[in-house]
Amino acid sequence: MNPLFLGLDLSTQQLKAVLIQDDCSIVHESAVHFDRDLPQYGTVNGAIKGPDGEVTSPVAMWLDALDLLMARMKQAGVDFASIAAISGAGQQHGSVYWSYEAENALASLDPTEPLTQLSPKAFSIPKAPIWQDSSTTRECRELEEAVGGPQALADISGSRAYERFTGTQIKRIRRINRAAYDSTARVSLVSSWIPSLFLGKIAAIEISDASGMNLMNVLTCKWDERLLEACGGPELRSKIGPEPVSGGTSLGPVCSWWVERWGFSKECIVAPFTGDNPATVVALSFPGDALLSLGTSTTYLLSIPPASTPPKRFTTSHLLSHPTTAPDAQIAMLCYKNGALAREQLRDRFADSHWTKYNQLVEGTSPGSGGYMGLYFPLPEIIPPGVKGEFLYRTEPGKAPVKVGEDDVPAGLHPRMILESQFLSIRSRIAAILPPNSPPLQRLVVTGGSSANQTIRQLAADLFDMKVYVSATKEAAGMGGALLARFAWWRTTEAPWGTFEEMCAGLGSEALGMKCVAEPDSAKAMEYAGLVDAYVACEAAVVKECAALRN
């Protein structure tokens, strides 16, 4: 019997399953869409908005979704007995609060009843705060003050305080709903909540996802006592559970409920689940690769190879522990609000709302846009923080940029200028993130809506001086989960000390669905290398101007 490996992805709007064979080819995919398939929970895009920036999802809905997903997989003919291991991904930062009845309820699941038998008794809070929640601004400031400021917190945990991060969510619940907090035996991330259901006991939190909590030391991958105390008082240490666990390990076999109700093998391994961003990194890149997500927002994920010097931490980016090679390797993450929407606004203004004309304008101009540089922030930006507006400059080597008006810039340059400034913002930060003497980055894997645009792919290849790849996998987080399941099974059965890269070495890029779509032009790459300093000077001018307006 050929083993199968199941990857689950519990995202904001859907629960998805990706089932792969030993050669990593996909044999089955299923999904449950929360709004459409479970309308009784009243969610909009998978979430419920409350007062003061609260955004939650009903935990019972997720239980229902897992039951429904299993039914759909069975109906499609999936042989659950062939599944050798399970792992997956959860939306990052979301948290689930278990009651003191939870461990007994999990251990005594009735196979004649669905998973919703756990609700409400197993949970002290029926709705889980998720990553869209922005209700914890006060808690963010208090946490930073408790440890000596935003940079001090970033040095410890990998990030300054963010409203969506789990530590401040826990801190707010303790402040406004102390009774529920005191009734909480354990706190899970979404990513550790799902394997708990498969194990029949509460699972430990996984290392990489733990680094999105502001609670773990990102270099040692251990809970930080000062951060735990600041967010949840002395009692949080027991509520958060054991030290975080590495990906690719076995948490144990599935519990009897899965064997008796669905026909899983009692030897089926449950591996730690991780966050959706780390799972995407697992699916699409290796250490030394970079991942550029060109969606509504822009996200840049960089797998930092192990080095003798730890990577620097910044208040404008995130450092996450790597899901397969922690604590030796990390993932750097840059997030920008102004991605595709900003590009689309310029397409509509200067290219008659057509991508074909937009691409023609880009291709008809040269790197550096004739000495003009444009920085476009229709929404308040994250990097650099708080800037908003449109800023146009004339640049010359060795001279300070000169601000110009829209009438001074040829209209046909804007489509290229926004791509160049968005990508130069990332490139200008890479050298600072990487440890000294790091080898050159190998591949740039692009995903998201704009990744299908060949003109954008080629400009990215030239500007970053890297070969650009795309993946055939649309469900990257689920695929990452399936690969983590295979990794745990491989280490359990064949190679206890094997690395993820060794497991994948025999598969090659094509087996993992990777295809090279653009190669850098060396002359253009050299031109872009010379534009980084000009971009940095323009960005500094924008930051100074916006600060003056605020004051």
Side-chain angles (χ1 to χ4, degrees), residues 121-438:
K121 63 184 177 184
F123 307 105
S124 54
I125 300 174
K127 293 176 183 174
I130 64 169
W131 66 274
Q132 293 170 324
D133 188 285
S134 60
S135 65
T136 63
T137 303
R138 167 180 165 176
E139 283 71 24
C140 287
R141 301 293 78 79
E142 290 174 352
L143 176 58
E144 289 176 346
E145 288 169 11
V147 296
Q151 185 61 56
L153 181 58
D155 287 339
I156 301 167
S157 71
S159 301
R160 67 168 173 83
Y162 285 89
E163 280 83 358
R164 66 186 185 276
F165 274 42
T166 323
T168 50
Q169 295 287 341
I170 293 169
K171 186 174 175 65
R172 181 173 184 267
I173 286 170
R174 185 173 186 260
R175 175 172 66 85
I176 69 167
N177 195 352
R178 187 59 185 262
Y181 183 74
D182 290 342
S183 300
T184 299
R186 287 281 294 276
V187 179
S188 286
L189 292 178
V190 175
S191 63
S192 63
W193 176 79
I194 318 169
S196 303
L197 303 175
F198 282 99
L199 291 166
K201 60 183 179 181
I202 298 172
I205 292 172
E206 181 266 348
I207 280 175
S208 190
D209 212 15
S211 44
M213 300 176 77
N214 283 140
L215 292 176
M216 186 188 79
N217 184 306
V218 74
L219 298 182
T220 65
C221 299
K222 306 290 185 186
W223 299 120
D224 186 273
E225 296 295 339
R226 193 159 47 141
L227 298 180
L228 292 174
E229 177 82 27
C231 288
E235 59 269 42
L236 183 55
R237 184 64 193 82
S238 63
K239 294 181 191 292
I240 211 73
E243 296 290 358
V245 293
S246 295
T249 53
S250 172
L251 297 173
V254 295
C255 68
S256 59
W257 187 88
W258 295 92
V259 178
E260 295 174 34
R261 186 171 179 87
W262 295 109
F264 278 78
S265 163
K266 62 185 180 185
E267 277 87 41
C268 178
I269 290 169
V270 181
F273 286 44
T274 190
D276 49 6
N277 282 311
T280 299
V281 169
V282 166
L284 301 181
S285 67
F286 296 128
D289 289 348
L291 180 62
L292 180 61
S293 175
L294 297 169
T296 304
S297 58
T298 297
T299 303
Y300 181 83
L301 295 153
L302 176 60
S303 296
I304 304 175
S308 56
T309 308
K312 292 179 182 176
R313 278 79 77 206
F314 299 93
T315 58
T316 53
S317 60
H318 307 288
L319 190 71
L320 308 175
S321 300
H322 198 282
T324 63
T325 44
D328 300 318
Q330 291 87 19
I331 300 166
M333 185 164 76
L334 301 171
C335 297
Y336 296 83
K337 249 185 216 180
N338 293 286
L341 293 179
R343 293 190 295 273
E344 287 165 10
Q345 285 184 15
L346 292 192
R347 176 203 63 191
D348 295 346
R349 281 167 59 192
F350 299 106
D352 300 330
S353 303
H354 287 293
W355 282 116
T356 302
K357 184 172 180 182
Y358 183 101
N359 293 343
Q360 288 169 348
L361 290 169
V362 174
E363 292 164 11
T365 50
S366 301
S369 301
Y372 292 98
M373 194 165 284
L375 286 75
Y376 307 86
F377 308 110
L379 298 171
E381 190 48 88
I382 301 169
I383 305 173
V387 298
K388 185 176 187 292
E390 190 167 297
F391 306 88
L392 306 174
Y393 297 94
R394 187 89 169 111
T395 64
E396 287 185 53
K399 294 184 179 180
V402 177
K403 191 173 184 187
V404 296
E406 186 178 315
D407 292 342
D408 300 317
V409 180
L413 288 177
H414 290 276
R416 174 178 281 274
M417 285 161 60
I418 188 172
L419 292 172
E420 290 184 342
S421 65
Q422 287 183 340
F423 293 167
L424 283 166
S425 176
I426 296 168
R427 178 162 175 172
S428 70
R429 289 170 165 84
I430 293 173
I433 290 170
L434 286 170
N437 305 315
S438 292

